[in-house]
Amino acid sequence: MSYPEQAAEVLALCARIAAHTDVPGTITRLFLSPATHRVHALLRAELESLGLDVRIDAIGNLRALYPGPTPDAPVLLLGSHIDTVPDAGPYDGILGVALPLVLLKSLAGTPLPYAIELIAFSEEEGVRFKFPFLGSRALINDLTPTDLARTDAAGISVSEALESLGAPSRSVPSNEVGSQTPDLSNALLLPNTFAFLELHIEQGPLLDSLDLPLGIVTSIVGQSRFDLTFTGQANHAGTTPMHLRRDPLAAAAVWMHRTEAYALAAAPLVATVGIIATHPGAANVIPATCTLSLDIRHPDPEALAQATAHVLSLATDIASTRGLRFEAHPTTHHPATPMHPGLRALLAEAAGQAAHHLPSGAGHDAMILARAIPAAMLFVRSPGGISHHPAETVHPADIAAALETCTRFLTTLNPADIAK
Ligand SMILES: [Zn+2]
């Protein structure tokens, strides 16, 4: 079958998966929901028709094994997630399951020096339990009893939700006191797994702006978040002359403007203020305090640390020249995760001129697995840069290019060359 024909098959499979939703009229599939169980049944039927062994592991990941030359052959892991955000598009995550499935079909009979495990991760977005990457965390034994005790909006814990896996058609059991922590050992990585490749839509506008179909991810960006406060002096908006004010909101505005200019000149740095509030917050009162959020990301850990120090010292300077106080409290930090250089080089060779090297500004399952095994990501252009939205789409020709690149990658990959 030609690559365009295979691409049509991938798109048809994505559409069939998108038809299974928890909220009619949208694409919404949450962790272990009825729609997720229906997608499991669909994928199981497809994979079993290829003669593959299929199972659902203890965290709800669907896993299929394409056998290698010997039972103890090294295992290449392929896959992505099948859960979605509410009112999602049809490709985020799903493409990274549907495309490898079609790839396995096209490979049937081709001898490879390794086995392939395809995983449809159960939970990446973290919508149901406000906690992302449940599926991939279980593979590297990174779920604690506290994580499993998290509850959803209905008060059902992760552990209780996992009990439903025994009988997928049954509704999730009601809240029980003293339920046990489930045994997740069958959700661990297969012991011979030597690498992970995740295929994903870019979810950003860069490849589209370069008119290129594919991207090779250099690194998944590091991300730091802070709560910032400028403190000044509340006073009357009518009687306080401009030169005698200590206005924290005006200082914050100057700081945001300078931070934006700094980040613009320091690509791929991105810095975002998403929340801003003043106290007391009245039209005729100069604010006493201005609090704001800062989310700052960069693929290089040193550059992220430097940029963070720079924008925070900028705030301190602006505050001191205006007679204000400035404080910054760190809230979260995720270090940058570089993708494996050997796998990246192989992907680059397989993609040729079709690919651009770029960091991922969003988190992915590959970022979790990279903590245990060599990991790489191949991006497919997102037309218009739209994702997490029903208008999310892909170009069929880009899917064909991804299939061609992945086929070359799989047929040239030698496990012995991929050192940890
Ligand atoms: Zn995704």
Side-chain angles (χ1 to χ4, degrees):
M1 211 180 354
S2 70
Y3 292 118
E5 283 167 335
Q6 287 179 36
E9 208 168 307
V10 171
L11 296 176
L13 184 54
C14 289
R16 282 170 61 206
I17 294 171
H20 295 289
T21 176
D22 296 317
V23 181
T26 74
I27 301 171
T28 305
R29 242 182 349 266
L30 302 191
F31 182 49
L32 299 182
S33 69
T36 299
H37 289 309
R38 293 199 300 274
V39 169
H40 280 168
L42 185 163
L43 291 172
R44 179 187 282 276
E46 286 290 324
L47 289 157
E48 284 181 345
S49 78
L50 304 179
L52 306 185
D53 277 334
V54 183
R55 66 187 176 104
I56 308 285
D57 71 14
I59 197 73
N61 297 320
L62 180 136
R63 304 169 73 150
L65 193 68
Y66 180 92
T70 59
D72 63 347
V75 179
L76 171 70
L77 190 59
L78 298 177
S80 194
H81 60 97
I82 54 163
D83 64 305
T84 73
V85 295
D87 204 10
Y91 300 108
D92 174 8
I94 306 354
L95 183 67
V97 175
L99 191 145
L101 191 153
V102 172
L103 209 56
L104 291 184
K105 198 171 177 176
S106 76
L107 279 174
T110 311
L112 295 171
Y114 52 87
I116 297 175
E117 187 178 36
L118 171 58
I119 300 196
F121 288 107
S122 56
E123 168 67 306
E124 189 264 2
E125 302 286 3
V127 175
R128 180 168 171 187
F129 292 99
K130 308 268 176 286
F131 186 67
F133 309 115
L134 278 174
S136 47
R137 279 180 196 277
L139 261 76
I140 64 161
N141 196 18
D142 186 44
L143 289 173
T144 64
T146 312
D147 298 336
L148 296 169
R150 283 173 166 271
T151 52
D152 65 9
I156 296 165
S157 71
V158 177
S159 295
E160 286 160 349
L162 290 173
E163 288 170 21
S164 74
L165 287 173
S169 58
R170 195 164 52 117
S171 60
V172 265
S174 62
N175 201 354
E176 292 162 19
V177 182
S179 62
Q180 306 234 315
T181 300
D183 175 7
L184 298 180
S185 52
N186 82 358
L188 290 171
L189 274 170
L190 293 179
N192 290 347
T193 310
F194 70 94
F196 175 55
L197 173 64
E198 181 170 11
L199 180 118
H200 205 281
I201 54 168
E202 181 198 347
Q203 303 184 283
L206 191 62
L207 293 173
D208 205 23
S209 75
L210 296 169
D211 197 22
L212 280 174
L214 303 176
I216 294 163
V217 176
T218 52
S219 167
I220 296 172
V221 297
Q223 174 189 341
S224 297
R225 286 196 190 157
F226 292 84
D227 288 335
L228 312 179
T229 309
F230 288 91
T231 305
Q233 175 65 58
N235 213 331
H236 197 289
T239 60
T240 317
M242 296 307 286
H243 72 283
L244 294 178
R245 294 178 178 211
R246 290 166 57 214
D247 181 344
L249 180 54
V254 170
W255 172 76
M256 282 172 63
H257 185 67
R258 290 217 197 139
T259 297
E260 184 191 38
Y262 173 74
L264 261 170
L269 178 72
V270 287
T272 306
V273 174
I275 305 170
I276 188 159
T278 59
H279 182 81
N284 59 351
V285 181
I286 299 160
T289 61
C290 174
T291 55
L292 51 167
S293 63
L294 169 66
D295 175 309
I296 184 162
R297 308 185 190 203
H298 197 289
D300 178 67
E302 238 167 75
L304 177 61
Q306 253 173 36
T308 304
H310 179 81
V311 299
L312 295 181
S313 79
L314 214 53
T316 307
D317 292 350
I318 292 165
S320 76
T321 55
R322 289 169 172 252
L324 307 169
R325 218 171 59 234
F326 172 75
E327 284 164 282
H329 294 289
T331 53
T332 59
H333 175 71
H334 296 289
T337 310
M339 297 288 95
H340 188 266
L343 292 171
R344 277 176 52 197
L346 209 58
L347 274 175
E349 223 176 276
Q353 299 300 309
H356 178 73
H357 294 256
L358 77 171
S360 170
H364 294 287
D365 290 308
M367 163 181 111
I368 304 295
L369 287 163
R371 283 150 55 181
I373 53 170
M377 288 194 80
L378 183 67
F379 274 171
V380 173
R381 154 170 45 190
S382 289
I386 306 279
S387 184
H388 281 188
H389 187 275
E392 175 183 281
T393 187
V394 289
H395 293 312
D398 295 355
I399 303 301
L403 283 158
E404 189 173 353
T405 295
C406 287
T407 304
R408 269 195 222 125
F409 174 84
L410 293 181
T411 48
T412 50
L413 175 65
N414 181 354
D417 296 342
I418 305 303
K420 283 195 184 183

